Amino acid sequence: MNLNSPLFDRIRTRREAKSEQPAPTARGPVCAHPGCQATGEFRAPMGRLREGQYFCFCLDHVREYNATYNYFNGMSDEDLLRYQKDAVTGHRPTWKMGANRAGPASPGMADPFHMQGKTARNRTPRHGVVARKALHVLGLDDDAGPGEIKVRYKELVKRLHPDANGGDRSNEDRLREIINAYNVLRSFRAV
Ligand SMILES: [Zn+2]
């Protein structure tokens, strides 16, 4: 059994969400959107440097938030460029081969990521680790191109959207994941 599958992630997240909620009140938390008084029953990630922290929104506002969610908000252009450049190389530590004493040739460095040699043989991946994770959420391969991503995204949104299912909202968690993943890919200019 694969305990690392997205299915188990979802189940874990749901359990945690339940246990973290404050003692039940009549209405629960109020939506974090300014001026909105609806119950904030949907969680949305706050973003970079606030991983694991969430806003509580009503359904309308969590949709709005997710549609515009940008993991890189607050990052300077310079940081963003560096991050994207790192993403291309899979956020590996960079070093000049043979020139740096702390590099892979150093006897004190035990190649903690088991990258040595492997990366020299393999071709450079098209996408970095974060983008590849997003591709997996969409059920795509590591090297999916922009056209493929767009087609799959549209197809999934069409299939999972409540409007396409007679108002059935049981697919909302999955739909949110897909929208988030697509936004990540857009921020990496993979789409
Ligand atoms: Zn709201």
Side-chain angles (χ1 to χ4, degrees):
M1 198 194 314
N2 177 13
L3 290 172
N4 291 319
S5 84
L7 179 65
F8 279 89
D9 282 346
R10 275 209 297 284
I11 291 167
R12 271 197 293 273
T13 308
R14 232 174 244 160
R15 277 210 196 111
E16 282 160 18
K18 240 172 220 164
S19 61
E20 273 169 23
Q21 265 165 18
T25 60
R27 295 193 45 191
V30 173
C31 172
H33 189 86
C36 181
Q37 294 301 309
T39 308
E41 52 190 318
F42 297 93
R43 300 199 314 165
M46 285 188 180
R48 195 174 59 89
L49 304 181
R50 301 178 83 174
E51 276 89 359
Q53 296 182 59
Y54 296 87
F55 292 117
C56 291
F57 287 114
C58 68
L59 180 59
D60 284 347
H61 287 128
V62 80
R63 276 187 176 145
E64 191 183 307
Y65 181 84
N66 281 334
T68 57
Y69 175 71
N70 185 347
Y71 184 79
F72 301 98
N73 272 346
M75 206 184 247
S76 74
D77 285 353
E78 197 187 314
D79 286 345
L80 181 55
L81 280 174
R82 194 180 306 127
Y83 191 92
Q84 287 177 330
K85 202 175 149 208
D86 283 358
V88 172
T89 58
H91 294 289
R92 291 194 298 270
T94 51
W95 47 59
K96 290 189 175 77
M97 294 301 266
N100 191 335
R101 272 170 8 110
S106 164
M109 179 110 178
D111 186 24
F113 302 110
H114 308 290
M115 304 294 284
Q116 198 175 342
K118 202 174 181 180
T119 49
R121 274 199 305 278
N122 295 353
R123 65 184 175 78
T124 308
R126 181 171 187 161
H127 303 290
V129 272
V130 178
R132 289 207 297 271
K133 219 172 148 189
L135 287 170
H136 297 168
V137 171
L138 300 179
L140 290 166
D141 290 334
D142 283 357
D143 57 353
E148 216 178 327
I149 295 169
K150 252 179 231 160
V151 167
R152 174 64 58 88
Y153 175 70
K154 279 183 189 160
E155 179 192 299
L156 286 170
V157 169
K158 205 171 156 188
R159 196 199 304 166
L160 299 172
H161 200 281
D163 293 351
N165 295 286
D168 174 13
R169 294 179 160 180
S170 57
N171 292 320
E172 259 166 24
D173 284 350
R174 177 81 182 123
L175 184 59
R176 264 199 297 279
E177 275 178 5
I178 283 159
I179 293 170
N180 281 339
Y182 187 73
N183 283 337
V184 166
L185 290 166
R186 276 205 314 193
S187 65
F188 281 113
R189 298 175 197 211
V191 188

